[in-house]
Amino acid sequence: SALKSNGIVDYGVMLLATLGVTLPSFVLATGYIYIFAVSLDWVDATQLDSLSSYIGPVICLSGYSLSFVARLTRSSKLEVLQQDYIRTARANGINEFKVIMKHGLKNSLIPVITYVGPMIAAILTGSFVIETMFDLPGMGTYFVSAVSNRDYTVIIGMTVFYAAFYVVMVFLVDIAYSFIDPRIKLGA
């Protein structure tokens, strides 16, 4: 999308990404269940008996995140491709693929990785709405039932787990920075 800016591919991808960002996960889940489970009868939305039964929850839970990452990657890539060092690399006769992948992509991934770490923590810790709609036994449902049952030990334990998982993901993002950008060093 960033490489073919203001073209038909760019507009199509950004239309899908904008729809993914604006549609809430419960609307996607309702549409998925109605179309694929009720109307077409292709999947059973309440049974986790095969790999295909996970497609709906995965799409509905990750729709917003993937769309946001697509938009963030595009805008970051467009900004990087207009930098002076990209023009200099092209003027020096470096292969276009190498300019885009090595110089452009690595530098445009820093804001994306900053978002992806906490996003993974948020997705993997569960979503009460999606778990309820697809009848999934997950951490979100477990946490909400602990709150309604006033099980304070479970509430505190789940909160500590969520916080620790978030900290680990932010730590992994910091480590990933050193692989992406050679100016960022680990240690010292």
Side-chain angles (χ1 to χ4, degrees):
S1 180
L3 296 177
K4 305 288 184 188
S5 180
N6 297 326
I8 189 95
V9 173
D10 182 31
Y11 292 138
V13 169
M14 285 301 101
L15 177 69
L16 285 175
T18 302
L19 282 174
V21 169
T22 56
L23 286 175
S25 61
F26 65 88
V27 173
L28 284 174
T30 304
Y32 177 85
I33 290 170
Y34 179 73
I35 292 170
F36 295 107
V38 175
S39 297
L40 299 175
D41 198 27
W42 286 356
V43 294
D44 187 5
T46 60
Q47 296 292 323
L48 296 177
D49 54 355
S50 67
L51 190 61
S52 64
S53 60
Y54 285 96
I55 293 172
V58 168
I59 288 172
C60 296
L61 191 58
S62 64
Y64 172 82
S65 301
L66 291 177
S67 300
F68 189 83
V69 166
R71 292 175 57 87
L72 183 62
T73 305
R74 177 189 178 271
S75 63
S76 179
K77 183 76 170 176
L78 282 174
E79 182 180 330
V80 166
L81 287 177
Q82 295 174 358
Q83 297 294 322
D84 289 337
Y85 65 90
I86 297 292
R87 271 180 280 190
T88 303
R90 286 180 176 147
N92 286 335
I94 297 177
N95 183 3
E96 185 68 18
F97 180 78
K98 192 172 182 179
V99 169
I100 291 170
M101 296 306 285
K102 184 177 180 188
H103 299 289
L105 186 63
K106 283 182 97 174
N107 289 319
S108 65
L109 282 181
I110 291 177
V112 175
I113 288 176
T114 303
Y115 175 74
V116 166
M119 175 197 72
I120 290 172
I123 288 175
L124 291 180
T125 52
S127 168
F128 171 70
V129 175
I130 298 299
E131 291 170 8
T132 302
M133 293 184 81
F134 286 99
D135 196 26
L136 298 172
M139 293 176 65
T141 305
Y142 188 60
F143 187 74
V144 170
S145 68
V147 169
S148 63
N149 293 333
R150 295 185 180 166
D151 190 355
Y152 298 117
T153 308
V154 173
I155 295 169
I156 292 170
M158 295 284 287
T159 305
V160 168
F161 175 77
Y162 287 160
F165 191 63
Y166 185 84
V167 168
V168 167
M169 292 310 299
V170 170
F171 177 70
L172 291 176
V173 165
D174 288 342
I175 292 173
Y177 283 155
S178 66
F179 291 112
I180 298 292
D181 192 351
R183 298 172 295 180
I184 301 173
K185 304 283 185 213
L186 287 175

